[in-house]
Amino acid sequence: MFRKLFIAIALTAATLTAAADATNDFIQQLHSRYPATIGSTVAPAFPGFYSIVTGNEVLFMRSDFSVLLHGDVVDLKTGQSLSAKILTVKADSSMFNPSDAIHLRPGTQRVVVFADPDCPYCRKLQPELLKLKNVEVDIYELPLTSLHPNASRMAQDIWCSTNPAKSWDDYVSKNILPTDKTCLNPLARNLALSEKLHISGTPALVFPDGTIHAGYLPAYQIQAQLDALTKVAQKQ
């Protein structure tokens, strides 16, 4: 019996090692042929294909480099989008550095918001965030300069102000410009974190269970989701 178990474990280990070697070999060839993929996340996807994830885009490459798939790939047995499944990421609380956030208010519940100071829907979201009851709101500034050329400067000025929470609210709610200031800021780290979480637009809300909602939500929906998560946590 023990001999059979040992053989089974050995065969499994050999299979896993071979699979890891094949993946490493594919990645090396991929980077050699296509240097732009360096830094992408590469992993086996489905038989014969690897997924290549860069930001919010996923490509599928056949292991012999003969076929490239771009777009939504669907598993016809389950009807599930393999592309969406790969791009779906859950955030972990350990990923967030509180010192990189603007803390709008304290609370026993918490919601994280990636926001661009010049984003219209971020501005629409601001009063909704202030309606939340007993909820800590952490703003991670994410200026999208391709859409809002001045957003990076505004985000820096807000961060470097004496009271970033007040400066944020003054600017997004009342259009009061922050004082022009320069200091060390977390904008580059926020961008790197957003890319890791496949967040490419603002606002994006991250709930305590790690789920990410892209786009605006009214206060009652945010509160309802937070309350539901609290109830689940209390039952555990």
Side-chain angles (χ1 to χ4, degrees):
M1 175 180 175
F2 290 107
R3 178 177 172 78
K4 290 181 179 179
L5 179 61
F6 174 79
I7 293 174
I9 292 174
L11 288 174
T12 300
T15 300
L16 292 174
T17 300
D21 289 344
T23 298
N24 288 335
D25 181 62
F26 174 83
I27 292 173
Q28 288 180 8
Q29 290 192 56
L30 176 70
H31 292 170
S32 176
R33 294 178 184 221
Y34 308 103
T37 62
I38 295 174
S40 300
T41 301
V42 182
F46 45 87
F49 281 81
Y50 289 87
S51 62
I52 305 165
V53 178
T54 304
N56 289 293
E57 183 178 37
V58 58
L59 305 174
F60 297 94
M61 180 81 76
R62 197 149 79 177
S63 57
D64 63 359
F65 296 93
S66 63
V67 176
L68 176 69
L69 301 178
H70 181 211
D72 197 18
V73 175
V74 178
D75 183 338
L76 295 180
K77 289 183 179 180
T78 63
Q80 184 179 32
S81 167
L82 297 177
S83 304
K85 183 179 180 181
I86 289 171
L87 289 174
T88 299
V89 176
K90 275 204 169 187
D92 186 277
S93 58
S94 64
M95 302 171 74
F96 296 93
N97 184 349
S99 64
D100 287 345
I102 295 174
H103 305 284
L104 291 189
R105 59 196 316 176
T108 57
Q109 299 171 304
R110 184 177 76 138
V111 63
V112 167
V113 182
F114 284 87
D116 177 326
D118 286 335
C119 157
Y121 282 98
C122 297
R123 291 176 170 232
K124 183 179 178 181
L125 177 65
Q126 179 69 4
E128 300 301 307
L129 296 174
L130 298 179
K131 293 177 186 177
L132 299 173
K133 305 298 183 182
N134 197 27
V135 176
E136 177 184 337
V137 178
D138 293 344
I139 301 290
Y140 285 76
E141 293 186 290
L142 184 62
L144 305 177
T145 52
S146 60
L147 296 174
H148 312 120
N150 295 320
S152 183
R153 184 65 195 177
M154 289 299 106
Q156 177 179 277
D157 290 346
I158 290 168
W159 179 263
C160 296
S161 66
T162 305
N163 187 337
K166 184 178 185 304
S167 293
W168 173 269
D169 187 57
D170 282 346
Y171 183 66
V172 300
S173 299
K174 308 164 190 172
N175 239 11
I176 299 175
L177 294 174
T179 303
D180 187 7
K181 288 187 177 181
T182 301
C183 69
L184 293 176
N185 62 72
L187 299 185
R189 290 192 295 274
N190 293 351
L191 176 60
L193 178 57
S194 72
E195 290 175 345
K196 187 179 294 186
L197 295 173
H198 300 157
I199 293 172
S200 60
T202 56
L205 290 80
V206 184
F207 288 90
D209 65 343
T211 57
I212 300 171
H213 175 85
Y216 164 86
L217 280 178
Y220 75 90
Q221 288 189 15
I222 300 172
Q223 192 79 59
Q225 187 160 341
L226 289 170
D227 291 344
L229 291 172
T230 299
K231 288 180 181 179
V232 170
Q234 290 171 345
K235 289 180 181 179
Q236 293 177 345

